[in-house]
Amino acid sequence: MKNIMVTGGAGFIGSAFVRYMLRQYDYNIIVFDKLTYAGNLDNLLTVQDEPRYKFVRGDIADRETVRRTLEANAIDTIVNFAAETHVDRSILDPDAFLKTNVFGTYVLLDEGHRAGIARFHHVSTDEVYGSIPVGAFKETDTLEPNSPYAASKAGSDMMVRAYHVTHGMHTTTTRGSNTFGPYQYPEKIAPFFITEALDDRPLPLYGDGMQVRDWLYVDDHAAGIDRVLHDGLPGEVYNVGGDNERHNIDVTRLILKLLSKPESLIRHVEDRPGHDRRYALDCTKAHRLGWKPQHTFEEALAETVEWYRRNEWWWRKIKTGAYLEYYKAQYAQRLAKAGAAGG
Ligand code: NAD
Ligand code: DAU
C-alpha cells in the first residue's frame, strides 16, 4: 500500500480516518469526495498543509472522474466511506442513497478492478442486519435491512462480495456500530442533541426513547478499519462495535447532564417509521485481529460534548439554509404535535 484513495474522506468518520492514517503511516492519502451537504473541508483543516494529503472533488458514481483519479494518482488501495448516511433522509428521499451507495460502490469496484488495485476496503454498517431483540449479530447472519439507507448499504455489501467472488478482488468489509465524536454533522442524534441543548431548544426523541444503539467513538472506529484494512482476510466481513449498548433516553439524559441542562428539554415525538429497536454486534472476529475500542462511552461522550461547546465556529455555520429546511421537514410537525400533547 502506498497511495490510498479515501472516498467520503471529507465526512465525519472518513476525515477522522484520514487524520489517523496520516499520523500512523507514511502513505499518500487522496481524499475523493463529492462534498454533498455532509462533506466539509473544515473537517480536514488540520491536515491541509500535509504534503502526503491531496483533495479531489468527485462523485463515486461518475466513472470518468473515478478512472482519471485512480490513474493520475497511481492508486493501489481504495477505502470507501462515501455514502448517503442519514436514515431519516432516506425515508424522506431515497434516490441519492441508491445512486451513491449502490451504483457508486459498483463503479468504484469496477474501476478499481480495471485499474488492478491491490485492496478495496468497504465501510459498512450494523444496520444491514436489521434489529435484534436479544444477543448480537455475527458476520454470517442474514441481512434484513429495514430502512432505505440500510437496504442501500446491504446492496453495496453484496456488490463488494460479488467482485471478490467473481473477480478475485482483495476486498474487506467492516460493519460499524453507531459512531460519535467531533466533526459529526449535526443531524445524527449526538451532535444534534448537543447543539440543540446548547441553545436551550427541545430535543425530539423518537417514540419511547427505549431503542438501543451500540456506541463507538470515532477514533476507535478509524482504528478498527485500519486493522482490518491491513490484516483482514480477502473477501471477509468484520463487525466493529463499541460494546456500549445504551437506550436513547439514557444517552439524551447524559448529554443534558454534561451540559447542565434540564430534562424538560426532552420531547417524545412521533416515531421514525420502521425504527429498528436494538442493534448489537458480536465483534470476536475483529478482536482476534488485535483491535479493541480504547475509549469508554462516558469519557468519550464528555470529550465530544466539550468539543461542540468549544467549536461553535464549526457547527453554527452548518445549521443555516438547507439545514433549516431539513429541520422543518423532519421536526416541525412532530414537535408541534408533541407540544399540543404536553411533550
Ligand atoms: P457522513 O455523512 O458524515 O459523510 C459522508 C461523506 O461522503 C461526505 O463527505 C459526502 O460528501 C461524501 N459523499 C456522499 N456521496 C458521495 C458521492 N456520490 N461521491 C463522493 N463522495 C460522496 O458519513 P459518516 O457518518 O462519516 O459515514 C461514513 C461511512 O461510514 C458511510 O459509508 C456510513 O454508511 C458508514 N457508517 C457510519 C456510521 C455512523 O454512525 N456515522 C456507522 C457505521 C458505518
Ligand atoms: O448503526 C450505525 C448507523 O448509525 C450508521 O450506519 C448511520 O449512518 C448513522 O446515521 C447511525 O444510524 P441511526 O439511525 O442509528 O443514527 P441516528 O443518530 O439518526 O439515530 C440514533 C438513534 O436516535 C435512533 O434510534 C433514532 C434516535 N433519534 C435520532 C434522531 C436524529 C431520535 O430519537 N431523535 C432524533 O432526532
Side-chain angles (χ1 to χ4, degrees), residues 85-88 125-127 149 176-178 187-189 192-193 204-206 211 213 248 272 275 279 331:
T85 63
H86 194 39
V87 172
D88 291 324
T125 168
D126 59 2
E127 301 209 9
Y149 162 69
S177 66
N178 275 69
E187 65 188 350
K188 310 286 162 58
I189 192 170
F192 177 44
F193 280 11
L205 191 62
Y206 296 151
Q211 305 83 3
R213 295 292 182 267
N248 290 342
R272 169 187 282 176
H275 198 170
Y279 297 142
Y331 297 109

Side-chain angles (χ1 to χ4, degrees), residues 32-34 56-66 99-100 104 107-108:
F32 184 91
D33 198 296
K34 187 179 177 183
V56 176
R57 187 168 192 179
D59 183 339
I60 60 165
D62 171 2
R63 192 178 278 282
E64 290 311 312
T65 314
V66 169
K99 284 183 190 143
T100 290
V107 169
L108 276 182

Side-chain angles (χ1 to χ4, degrees), residues 35-111:
L35 295 182
T36 65
Y37 76 94
N40 185 349
L41 289 177
D42 283 351
N43 299 356
L44 292 162
L45 274 181
T46 58
V47 297
Q48 68 176 5
D49 298 326
E50 165 59 58
R52 290 176 294 128
Y53 157 77
K54 176 174 170 182
F55 179 78
V56 176
R57 187 168 192 179
D59 183 339
I60 60 165
D62 171 2
R63 192 178 278 282
E64 290 311 312
T65 314
V66 169
R67 186 175 298 181
R68 244 185 293 118
T69 308
L70 291 177
E71 280 171 10
N73 298 282
I75 298 294
D76 48 54
T77 302
I78 296 177
V79 182
N80 181 31
F81 289 88
E84 289 294 333
T85 63
H86 194 39
V87 172
D88 291 324
R89 289 187 194 252
S90 83
I91 295 167
L92 291 174
D93 186 6
D95 269 35
F97 288 76
L98 274 292
K99 284 183 190 143
T100 290
N101 302 3
V102 182
F103 187 73
T105 301
Y106 146 70
V107 169
L108 276 182
L109 283 160
D110 204 51
E111 286 302 319

Side-chain angles (χ1 to χ4, degrees), residues 165-228:
V165 175
T166 308
H167 299 296
M169 263 180 101
H170 188 305
T171 63
T172 44
T173 297
T174 41
R175 294 192 178 132
S177 66
N178 275 69
T179 305
F180 69 103
Y183 301 104
Q184 184 170 29
Y185 191 85
E187 65 188 350
K188 310 286 162 58
I189 192 170
F192 177 44
F193 280 11
I194 294 167
T195 55
E196 291 293 277
L198 277 167
D199 283 345
D200 301 303
R201 290 165 54 81
L203 309 186
L205 191 62
Y206 296 151
D208 61 4
M210 291 302 286
Q211 305 83 3
V212 172
R213 295 292 182 267
D214 170 17
W215 292 96
L216 175 65
Y217 188 59
V218 65
D219 288 354
D220 284 328
H221 196 159
I225 292 167
D226 169 31
R227 182 72 9 256
V228 172

